[in-house]
Amino acid sequence: MLPSPFEFDRPSTIEDAIRGVGESGDGMFYSGGTELLLAMKMRVIHTDRLIDIKGIFGLNRICLNEANDIEIGARCTHAKIASDPVIREHVPALSSLCANVANIRVRSVGTIGGNLCFGEPHADPPTLLAALNARLVLIGRDGTRVVPADDFIRSELETIREPDELLTLIVFPCPNGPVTYRRFKHGERPSVNVAMAWSIDAGKATIKGARVRVGALGSRPQPLKVVEDALRGLPVREVRSAIEAVLTTALDELEVNEDRHGGADYKRHLAGVLLLRNVEEAISVGGGA
Ligand SMILES: Cc1cc2nc3c(=O)[nH]c(=O)nc-3n(C[C@H](O)[C@H](O)[C@H](O)COP(=O)(O)OP(=O)(O)OC[C@H]3O[C@@H](n4cnc5c(N)ncnc54)[C@H](O)[C@@H]3O)c2cc1C
């Protein structure tokens, strides 16, 4: 099926792109189009105007800034992130995640910003970005706001972004401990995924803090608070036993949607397995055994 007719704008500035959405929010930003065009062709989404953001300068860069934060422009494709030297050096788990998203055609044009803004629950980047404590920079008619990745996805296919707000940048502190990511999938998209980021006190071989997120189970990535609390201040050599002690309680607290990816017990089990694999990797890559 073809999409219903629409106009096509190619602004070169953020201001013009925001203006293009219109007062009533009729226009939609168009980045790689890998989600949007499919939905328009199926007539699930209708818009009068597409605003192509490819020509806007500055949305396609990756750097380590002076505050030791990593910045990723929202227009960066999965392929670019996968091969970027800054990401490969400081967050190899993100590089590997992006190298394995979808297929080569989607990775070549699909962007990290489009992935986040679509709000698909069965996605890879939102889980890892939440574990990395990322902030998202949104610019709209009313100015700029910075929101934690944890708060960005509200529900299935729904984010807190207003129609005129352009996601411009994803920013997170350069990790100072192991960052790991594991997923399990039956089809194209993840059925369950788990991401973990530790900050390490290298001198004492203890975990200063840990962020653990489980994705694709419910409508948005969820923190494993019980596990995070158990890990805080813990010597790395005690991690395995500490997690095993709280695992069942932690998994019981997760919201799980039963769908074609599986039932609740099965998905919780997978989340537990993936968590323990993350832990083994974290210990081996940098946590000290
Ligand atoms: C076959 C296939 C397999 C896939 N497999 C996976 C997978 O394994 N894991 C995974 O995580 N994902 C997967 N995806 C999803 C893929 O990652 C996304 O399609 C892609 O990242 C979306 O980016 P895009 O630039 O194409 O977004 P678009 O389709 O252009 O836009 C998507 C939505 O975001 C909005 N938008 C885009 N950019 C911005 C912005 N900067 N600011 C505000 N709004 C914006 C658009 O208006 C639209 O609503 C798959 C997709 C396909 C088609």
Side-chain angles (χ1 to χ4, degrees), residues 184-198:
F184 180 83
K185 59 177 198 162
H186 294 290
E188 270 167 347
R189 310 200 184 211
S191 303
V192 182
N193 55 37
V194 179
M196 194 171 72
W198 289 354

Side-chain angles (χ1 to χ4, degrees), residues 10-24:
R10 282 208 176 103
S12 54
T13 65
I14 291 175
E15 293 72 27
D16 284 347
I18 292 166
R19 212 171 294 123
V21 173
E23 294 282 326
S24 49

Side-chain angles (χ1 to χ4, degrees), residues 12-69:
S12 54
T13 65
I14 291 175
E15 293 72 27
D16 284 347
I18 292 166
R19 212 171 294 123
V21 173
E23 294 282 326
S24 49
D26 296 338
M28 289 186 79
F29 299 123
Y30 162 68
S31 193
T34 57
E35 298 284 27
L36 187 57
L37 293 187
L38 280 181
M40 287 175 70
K41 283 181 186 166
M42 288 190 282
R43 305 233 173 163
V44 178
I45 289 180
H46 166 79
T47 181
D48 293 333
R49 195 163 50 260
L50 283 188
I51 298 125
D52 184 354
I53 60 172
K54 290 189 199 64
I56 299 177
F57 179 75
L59 298 183
N60 195 23
R61 67 189 169 81
I62 298 175
C63 70
L64 181 63
N65 70 20
E66 288 175 355
N68 206 33
D69 285 340

Side-chain angles (χ1 to χ4, degrees), residues 28-36 38 53 74 78 101-103 106 109-111 113-115 117-118 123-125 161 165-167 183 188-190:
M28 289 186 79
F29 299 123
Y30 162 68
S31 193
T34 57
E35 298 284 27
L36 187 57
L38 280 181
I53 60 172
H78 300 293
V101 159
N103 54 53
V106 173
V109 291
T111 62
N115 186 293
C117 291
F118 200 62
D124 294 281
R161 188 183 70 83
E165 284 184 310
L166 184 70
L167 172 61
R183 74 168 180 192
E188 270 167 347
R189 310 200 184 211

Side-chain angles (χ1 to χ4, degrees), residues 152-171:
F152 185 66
I153 295 176
R154 183 180 277 149
S155 180
E156 198 157 331
L157 304 178
E158 191 190 354
T159 71
I160 62 164
R161 188 183 70 83
E162 296 296 332
D164 67 294
E165 284 184 310
L166 184 70
L167 172 61
T168 55
L169 201 59
I170 296 130
V171 188

